[in-house]
Amino acid sequence: AALAVAVLVGWRGFVGELRDQQLEWAFLERSVAQLPERATLVAAIDAGGRNLDAFPDFLLKRGGKRYALVDVRRAARGEVEWPAAGDGELLFYQGMFCYFAFTDEPSPDPMTTACRAVHEHYVAEPLLVEDLATRGYSALHYAQGGEGVYRIGFYRLKPRT
């Protein structure tokens, strides 16, 4: 009986613990309303296959925002052009997708190649950011060994001079 109670208490703690996915979702629900009405957003857009994470663009639509979307992974691979900075609002969403990879991919430390490419291509000015002190929820390969502080949020992109 004591073992059953210990297992139940441990399980209940796990279920109630907020991890990367739940914390990121809470951030997005609080933040999207504060974004500009119109912009181009560079983020993880495409889902499926090895693209495990995608920005929930329905939050933009629900908030009455009108955004053009560019998939950061496709831009980093050269499959689509990087959007020009300076032609209206250009934002980047640096989500938890920047901090995990499949185990057969390069280590995402300090972040994935696609997300590092954004910071190399543009000057990224924090607009709405938050540091999540959390542990990775899935079996994927996380930066920082799966436990640390992960900066997520929206950045305004400016041209590099």
Side-chain angles (χ1 to χ4, degrees):
L3 178 60
V5 170
V7 168
L8 181 60
V9 168
W11 178 78
R12 185 170 183 218
F14 172 77
V15 170
E17 183 180 357
L18 298 179
R19 298 247 182 125
D20 63 318
Q21 295 173 14
Q22 295 86 7
L23 293 169
E24 182 175 21
W25 178 254
F27 169 79
L28 287 168
E29 283 201 310
R30 287 191 312 271
S31 301
V32 167
Q34 300 173 59
L35 294 174
E37 294 303 311
R38 292 175 172 224
T40 297
L41 178 65
V42 177
I45 303 299
D46 299 338
R50 292 179 70 90
N51 293 331
L52 295 181
D53 197 12
F55 182 84
D57 62 329
F58 72 89
L59 290 175
L60 296 169
K61 294 172 188 161
R62 184 174 77 184
K65 311 290 184 187
R66 292 191 292 195
Y67 277 49
L69 304 174
V70 176
D71 187 81
V72 64
R73 295 170 288 215
R74 293 185 68 215
R77 289 190 302 261
E79 296 171 9
V80 298
E81 293 288 323
W82 288 105
D87 296 345
E89 285 279 6
L90 179 59
L91 304 178
F92 169 53
Y93 178 65
Q94 181 174 294
M96 282 303 298
F97 69 89
C98 289
Y99 302 107
F100 62 73
F102 286 99
T103 55
D104 63 345
E105 294 178 324
S107 172
D109 282 309
M111 65 179 58
T112 62
T113 303
C115 293
R116 280 195 316 261
V118 174
H119 291 275
E120 292 166 2
H121 194 81
Y122 303 100
V123 173
E125 299 173 350
L127 179 62
L128 298 165
V129 298
E130 187 168 304
D131 290 335
L132 302 184
T134 186
R135 289 186 297 174
Y137 182 73
S138 72
L140 293 168
H141 184 62
Y142 281 81
Q144 303 178 50
E147 189 166 347
V149 177
Y150 302 95
R151 177 158 288 172
I152 66 167
F154 295 93
Y155 291 79
R156 184 170 278 121
L157 300 178
K158 302 290 185 184
R160 283 221 172 266
T161 54

